[in-house]
Amino acid sequence: MPLEAIDYELIRQASQRYAWALDTGDVAGFLACFVPETGYLQVQGVPAGHALAAKVVGSNMLREFVEGNWRLLQGQVRHLITGELIEEIEPGLASYRAMYACIRPGTFPSAGVLMSGEYDDIMQRVDGRWLILARRPYMDESRPARAAPHGLIRHFDAVHAQWKEA
């Protein structure tokens, strides 16, 4: 049976629950986003051997991940998710692609975008709920930088450089 409108919304909500739980240190909420024991998180595009390159599979590893993230960041990051594309792979499985930005909350000049990237995920329907089977974030910073294509971007780059020096 093809995806229905409610499936699209439930898949979006699963991704948003992930962000809320990760950003607030809600371990139980974070674990509830994943398919039990087989759901995983694996950051793409980082060098082999880097701590983020490890595949984080199952409840125990996911718990360690979210607890470690909270100890490190203490709520100083917010995930903003946009540009979602959802397509059925087969009944009960869907691909979920989206863009994200991680921001540091607060006011200028300490607030701002820390990093951005894309999710390339597989979602699975389990007992009527859509859960993350595979969350595969790809950080934009791991891609080669490009020269600024036009004046407006070069202007922002120059302003950013001044803030960093201040």
Side-chain angles (χ1 to χ4, degrees), residues 78-115:
R78 298 285 185 266
H79 286 74
L80 305 177
I81 302 170
T82 189
E84 297 163 308
L85 298 173
I86 300 166
E87 296 178 345
E88 184 175 52
I89 298 170
E90 62 184 57
L93 283 180
S95 71
Y96 172 87
R97 294 179 54 217
M99 293 173 265
Y100 70 88
C102 294
I103 65 164
R104 182 172 182 196
T107 57
F108 176 80
S110 64
V113 176
L114 300 171
M115 68 179 202

Side-chain angles (χ1 to χ4, degrees), residues 34-124:
F34 288 87
V35 174
E37 302 313 317
T38 57
Y40 72 88
L41 168 68
Q42 186 172 25
V43 178
Q44 306 296 303
V46 295
H50 188 283
L52 287 177
K55 189 174 184 179
V56 180
V57 184
S59 298
N60 291 335
M61 290 180 74
L62 289 165
R63 175 184 305 282
E64 289 174 16
F65 174 83
V66 72
E67 288 173 347
N69 185 75
W70 182 254
R71 278 192 305 276
L72 178 67
L73 300 174
Q74 293 290 308
Q76 292 300 306
V77 172
R78 298 285 185 266
H79 286 74
L80 305 177
I81 302 170
T82 189
E84 297 163 308
L85 298 173
I86 300 166
E87 296 178 345
E88 184 175 52
I89 298 170
E90 62 184 57
L93 283 180
S95 71
Y96 172 87
R97 294 179 54 217
M99 293 173 265
Y100 70 88
C102 294
I103 65 164
R104 182 172 182 196
T107 57
F108 176 80
S110 64
V113 176
L114 300 171
M115 68 179 202
S116 61
E118 300 171 8
Y119 292 126
D120 180 16
D121 299 348
I122 304 296
M123 309 296 280
Q124 182 177 350

Side-chain angles (χ1 to χ4, degrees), residues 114 141 144 165:
L114 300 171
E141 63 193 31
E165 292 173 6

